[in-house]
Amino acid sequence: MSASNRLHDIHPGPTRTTRWVIVGVIGALFLIPIVAMIEFTLRKGLGGGYDFSRWAAVFGGQLTGEYKPIFTGLGNSLILAVATVAVMLVLLVPTMVLVRIRFPQLQRVLEFVCLLPITIPAIVIVVGLAPVYSVIARMFGSGVWTLAFAYGVIVLPYAYRSIQTNLAAVDVVTLSEAARSLGAGWPTILLRIVVPNIRRGLLAASFISVAVVLGEYTIAALLNRVNLQTSLVIVSKADPFVSIIFALLALVFAFVLLLAIGRIGRSPRQKASS
Amino acid sequence: MTTLTTAGTVTGPSAPAAVVASTPTGAQVELRGIVKEFPGGHRALDAIDLTIRPGEFLALLGPSGCGKTTALRVLAGLEAATSGTVLIGDADVSTTPARSRDIGMVFQSYSLFPHMTALANVEFGLRMRRVGADERRRRAGDALEMVGLGGFGGRYAHELSGGQQQRVALARALVTEPRLLLLDEPLSALDARVRVQLREEIRRIQLDFGITTVFVTHDQEEALAVADRVAVMRAGRIEQIASPEELYSRAATPFVAEFVGSSNRIRGVVRDGFAELCDARLPLVDPSFEEGDAIVFVRPEDLRFGDTGIPVDVVSTSFLGSYRRTTVALEDGTVVRVQHAAATVPEVDQRLFLQFAGAPVAVSAWES
């Protein structure tokens, strides 16, 4: 009897039935609310029955002025997503590379700082950010894009993890030293040597940041900015059906992004074998 | 000097390892009083003074942690010295960044840029020097030809073996025609056969170019095989710099005698310029050595078995291919290794007689 068989006998894994029960329970947990949302959007009204009229209205461009906040919010959220990714890439990537190459003793500190926002409730962050934003408003105006500074903080834990995983798999120290010995300066090393080798981590960090920004409500609401989530809340008071349709669309978009992360995160060998 | 623009035609037979470049055109390199202290107070280099002649192949040899790689990194500009001066040619480059020192470097770990093809890797240094695309491609192609990888330009690092990756790294280091080539244990990750093949190739190319080369290794065989001179390092200091032959036969310190090759420590007495041990009288390399009790270092190949001599008992014996190494015990319990013909097969506990066939490689004062 092989060692692995003996181990299996001592610590048997879950049976097929147990596995399916677990998958079923977790799947139901996710699917029931989503199915309920879809069912809700298809209702004809108090008379009963279902149709696609509201979906047709959304995709047929028949939404009138009362739904305008959704399009404003969607536009703002897309601007914020781009600005947040830019803030994250411009600040976090060079810092992580610098710490990895030149100041490895700061690795723990950086990790602690980057993971900290996940432990602080958004409402607490907003309380701290409110006075900061009064200064930001004086310096940069009160444009919605300024929220990207706050969002840059809340996406840190997710972005850090994605980039760090990729960075740890590449010997950036030796690669950067090789590039230096060949005549490259630090900007060249960052852009032409390090970034291409952590591309997957950067894409994953960017996508997950976009997903976080599209789903963010608390900070925007409490700082009186309009984004997709706050506009959905506003519209839901007049027409809950359309707001749910947009919530579902945002969910699908985030799901597609996560699928994309899964695809780009696979190794070439996995891709070749599939 | 052979230039890389014609390197594709450099296909001559491998040059003998110990031949000094006939037309040395590399730069002279000098380390003056180099001290390197790391945070925490660890002194990795302790006032190193070293002059490397133009076109010379110098090996920095020593055990792990002796400071050899740190010395190379200071030379490359990848580490700043705490104090001291680095000169390449006539220029003081102590504060010059690595990218401006005009060096080529091959690293211990595979350092090819994974997202670039072999050709793009070799082109990188030329690209940094703003060489035009056509010339860049031609010179990079020539450099790959030079290391025997002419048809591999389109491959990525993960499509090359370890030996091929180090060849590409060598081509990348040389394509810019640097003043100094630095090799940081480039063979240590390779298997034995490829190591020997590649070290001979490195030596051939170095002689063809006449480029000043510093080769860091902890493998004494590698250092002795390829270098014009070997600097043996220990605890941040250079113990001895000499030709491989001199290093082996005239070790300056007991550490060198034991680190380079294999040595037996036998207790004896120094008197009148000779070492007296076990009734034998052997001439000293340094006859001025202070008289008195001493430890004498004798190579295993300078001992042989005979019909008469010092009685010893065989402890063990090992077959090592072309020769055999037998461990014997003297009557006072001292264990001695003897290298002899493979055809002679002593048996354990057999009584044999030992004779001295050469001079001691070093002597140190006896410390009880």
Side-chain angles (χ1 to χ4, degrees):
Chain A
M1 185 186 278
S2 73
S4 62
N5 281 346
R6 279 201 302 274
L7 195 66
H8 188 266
D9 288 344
I10 298 165
H11 301 288
T15 62
R16 179 183 287 263
T17 313
T18 312
R19 283 199 294 263
W20 277 111
V21 167
I22 292 170
V23 169
V25 169
I26 293 173
L29 205 68
F30 280 100
L31 282 178
I32 289 171
I34 294 172
V35 171
M37 287 167 78
I38 295 170
E39 188 269 346
F40 180 70
T41 61
L42 297 176
R43 285 183 192 175
K44 282 173 82 173
L46 293 175
Y50 296 101
D51 65 18
F52 286 94
S53 58
R54 294 191 184 87
W55 286 87
V58 169
F59 287 103
Q62 295 158 28
L63 297 178
T64 53
E66 62 182 307
Y67 300 104
K68 198 184 163 199
I70 287 185
F71 296 106
T72 309
L74 185 61
N76 286 350
S77 279
L78 291 176
I79 291 169
L80 278 169
V82 172
T84 304
V85 167
V87 167
M88 182 270 293
L89 291 178
V90 169
L91 292 181
L92 186 60
V93 177
T95 307
M96 288 181 72
V97 172
L98 203 62
V99 165
R100 182 78 195 280
I101 294 175
R102 297 295 293 268
F103 308 105
Q105 68 276 16
L106 294 177
Q107 189 71 51
R108 292 280 173 110
V109 177
L110 181 67
E111 185 171 6
F112 176 75
V113 169
C114 288
L115 297 185
L116 205 55
I118 209 167
T119 65
I120 303 173
I123 188 79
V124 177
I125 293 180
V126 175
V127 170
L129 282 176
V132 175
Y133 264 85
S134 67
V135 177
I136 287 176
R138 278 202 298 275
M139 289 172 68
F140 300 106
S142 56
V144 72
W145 68 270
T146 55
L147 268 188
F149 296 127
Y151 286 179
V153 173
I154 63 165
V155 301
L156 268 183
Y158 313 101
Y160 176 83
R161 272 279 162 246
S162 305
I163 297 169
Q164 181 58 24
T165 305
N166 204 173
L167 205 54
V170 181
D171 186 359
V172 285
V173 176
T174 303
L175 294 183
S176 68
E177 287 180 351
R180 284 164 69 195
S181 74
L182 290 165
W186 285 110
T188 308
I189 290 169
L190 184 68
L191 294 175
R192 295 174 79 157
I193 304 297
V194 178
V195 165
N197 283 299
I198 57 168
R199 190 177 53 91
R200 279 189 295 180
L202 296 181
L203 278 173
S206 303
F207 284 177
I208 211 159
S209 298
V210 170
V212 168
V213 170
L214 290 184
E216 206 290 319
Y217 171 78
T218 317
I219 294 175
L222 295 176
L223 290 176
N224 294 319
R225 304 296 202 281
V226 177
N227 72 359
L228 179 62
Q229 298 299 327
T230 59
S231 63
L232 286 178
V233 170
I234 293 167
V235 171
S236 71
K237 287 170 185 165
D239 184 346
F241 299 101
V242 169
S243 74
I244 293 296
I245 287 175
F246 277 96
L248 277 168
L249 291 176
L251 202 61
V252 168
F253 185 64
F255 184 67
V256 169
L257 281 183
L258 292 176
L259 268 185
I261 292 170
R263 296 287 299 176
I264 59 173
R266 292 165 74 195
S267 69
R269 192 178 296 171
Q270 282 175 308
K271 279 180 187 168
S273 63
S274 61
Chain B
M1 178 185 180
T2 308
T3 65
L4 268 173
T5 49
T6 57
T9 61
V10 179
T11 54
S14 296
V19 177
V20 178
S22 53
T23 54
T25 50
Q28 170 158 309
V29 177
E30 225 175 310
L31 298 178
R32 286 186 195 158
I34 294 291
V35 172
K36 176 64 188 178
E37 272 185 5
F38 286 107
H42 171 61
R43 183 171 275 222
L45 296 177
D46 193 1
I48 293 269
D49 287 306
L50 177 64
T51 302
I52 307 161
R53 300 167 194 143
E56 185 176 34
F57 194 123
L58 181 103
L60 284 178
L61 175 67
S64 297
C66 70
K68 56 191 188 299
T69 293
T70 307
L72 193 83
R73 290 172 62 80
V74 166
L75 202 45
L78 298 173
E79 297 276 1
T82 308
S83 63
T85 309
V86 180
L87 294 162
I88 299 180
D90 296 327
D92 180 350
V93 296
S94 308
T95 55
T96 307
R99 66 191 171 96
S100 307
R101 289 200 181 186
D102 192 17
I103 53 160
M105 190 160 178
V106 180
F107 295 81
Q108 180 178 7
S109 49
Y110 303 132
S111 62
L112 294 190
F113 307 133
H115 61 295
M116 294 184 192
T117 62
L119 188 73
N121 263 281
V122 179
E123 278 185 51
F124 186 83
L126 298 171
R127 197 183 282 272
M128 293 301 103
R129 285 160 178 76
R130 302 187 190 286
V131 175
D134 289 343
E135 188 186 344
R136 207 168 60 213
R137 223 158 288 139
R138 183 175 51 76
R139 285 172 64 179
D142 285 347
L144 281 174
E145 287 282 345
M146 176 187 68
V147 296
L149 292 176
F152 291 73
R155 295 207 188 174
Y156 288 88
H158 69 271
E159 297 170 322
L160 298 168
S161 69
Q164 287 170 336
Q165 288 191 49
Q166 290 302 66
R167 282 166 194 263
V168 175
L170 183 64
R172 185 177 68 177
L174 285 170
V175 75
T176 56
E177 299 178 20
R179 292 184 294 170
L180 175 63
L181 177 63
L182 304 175
L183 307 169
D184 184 9
E185 304 203 39
L187 310 176
S188 62
L190 308 177
D191 64 57
R193 196 176 56 84
V194 179
R195 285 172 79 124
V196 173
Q197 210 175 17
L198 193 50
R199 86 181 180 208
E200 285 172 3
E201 203 152 339
I202 288 172
R203 179 57 162 159
R204 171 182 67 80
I205 291 166
Q206 187 267 339
L207 286 170
D208 284 339
F209 279 78
I211 185 171
T212 310
T213 302
V214 183
F215 179 68
V216 163
T217 180
H218 62 266
D219 184 332
Q220 37 131 337
E221 184 196 323
E222 219 162 73
L224 297 182
V226 296
D228 293 319
R229 283 193 304 158
V230 179
V232 181
M233 290 187 67
R234 181 196 190 191
R237 287 176 171 274
I238 293 176
E239 291 259 320
Q240 184 177 6
I241 309 175
S243 67
E245 294 82 359
E246 187 180 350
L247 203 68
Y248 195 77
S249 57
R250 297 167 63 95
T253 65
F255 172 78
V256 175
E258 293 199 299
F259 189 77
V260 179
S262 177
S263 288
N264 293 300
R265 293 163 154 255
I266 304 173
R267 189 175 176 180
V269 177
V270 172
R271 191 174 295 141
D272 302 330
F274 284 84
E276 297 174 358
L277 61 165
C278 308
D279 299 331
R281 203 155 183 264
L282 306 173
L284 287 178
V285 169
D286 177 11
S288 64
F289 194 84
E290 192 179 332
E291 296 196 347
D293 288 348
I295 296 290
V296 182
F297 295 83
V298 182
R299 299 278 185 210
E301 62 268 32
D302 290 335
L303 294 167
R304 66 176 176 223
F305 296 122
D307 297 330
T308 59
I310 306 153
V312 293
D313 293 320
V314 175
V315 175
S316 64
T317 183
S318 306
F319 174 65
L320 297 169
S322 57
Y323 62 92
R324 181 175 281 278
R325 190 162 282 179
T326 298
T327 304
V328 297
L330 304 183
E331 285 183 327
D332 66 356
T334 306
V335 173
V336 172
R337 284 157 297 163
V338 184
Q339 187 172 308
H340 57 89
T344 309
V345 187
E347 289 181 11
V348 174
D349 291 335
Q350 187 182 349
R351 170 55 62 102
L352 295 172
F353 296 95
L354 201 61
Q355 298 173 347
F356 291 96
V361 68
V363 182
S364 75
W366 171 254
E367 290 170 15
S368 54

